[in-house]
């Protein structure tokens, strides 16, 4: 697990109020899914950028809580669209 994944996982667990490690594999898979989805849209989320990291954590928390069902909350929609507009199609690695 890389530094970004470790930091994102720690923050996600704090967001969700989880202190044990029994869900780490599932939460890590959600984090990877969000990163892959954003990469497919041309945005490589960076651990150096706090906006990217917090978007990753918030989006993953929504996915965990809602099981990926339902409508994406407006605040996440706006943040996702803004990231795609700002970084989509541009290499920001």
């Amino acid at each position: 697990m890389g530094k970004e994944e470790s930091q994102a996982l720690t923050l996600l667990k704090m967001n969700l109020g989880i202190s044990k490690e029994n869900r780490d594999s599932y939460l890590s898979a959600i984090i990877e899914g969000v990163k892959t989805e954003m990469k497919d849209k041309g945005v490589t989320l960076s651990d150096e950028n706090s906006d990217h990291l917090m978007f990753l954590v918030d989006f993953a928390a929504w996915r965990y809580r809602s099981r990926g069902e339902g409508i994406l909350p407006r605040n996440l929609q706006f943040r996702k669209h803004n990231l795609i507009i700002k970084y989509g199609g541009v290499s920001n690695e």
Side-chain angles (χ1 to χ4, degrees):
M1 181 180 305
K3 178 186 172 191
E4 177 181 356
E5 289 179 33
S6 176
Q7 188 174 14
L9 180 60
T10 300
L11 291 173
L12 178 57
K13 288 171 69 173
M14 289 173 141
N15 182 306
L16 297 171
I18 296 172
S19 59
K20 296 188 178 182
E21 291 80 30
N22 58 339
R23 294 188 180 264
D24 286 3
S25 295
Y26 181 63
L27 295 174
S28 293
I30 293 172
I31 289 169
E32 281 302 311
V34 171
K35 287 170 47 179
T36 300
E37 178 180 336
M38 293 305 292
K39 191 167 191 165
D40 290 347
K41 298 193 182 303
V43 179
T44 301
L45 297 175
S46 167
D47 61 329
E48 302 297 321
N49 186 323
S50 60
D51 289 336
H52 288 194
L53 183 59
M54 290 313 301
F55 172 77
L56 176 61
V57 169
D58 291 343
F59 199 165
W62 173 77
R63 283 244 172 105
Y64 178 82
R65 287 184 179 114
S66 70
R67 303 290 193 244
E69 298 173 0
I71 299 171
L72 186 65
R74 295 294 289 167
N75 70 316
L76 288 176
Q77 284 180 3
F78 286 133
R79 289 165 63 193
K80 181 178 178 181
H81 291 154
N82 287 341
L83 285 171
I84 292 169
I85 290 169
K86 187 171 183 179
Y87 299 107
V90 177
S91 176
N92 60 337
E93 296 181 19

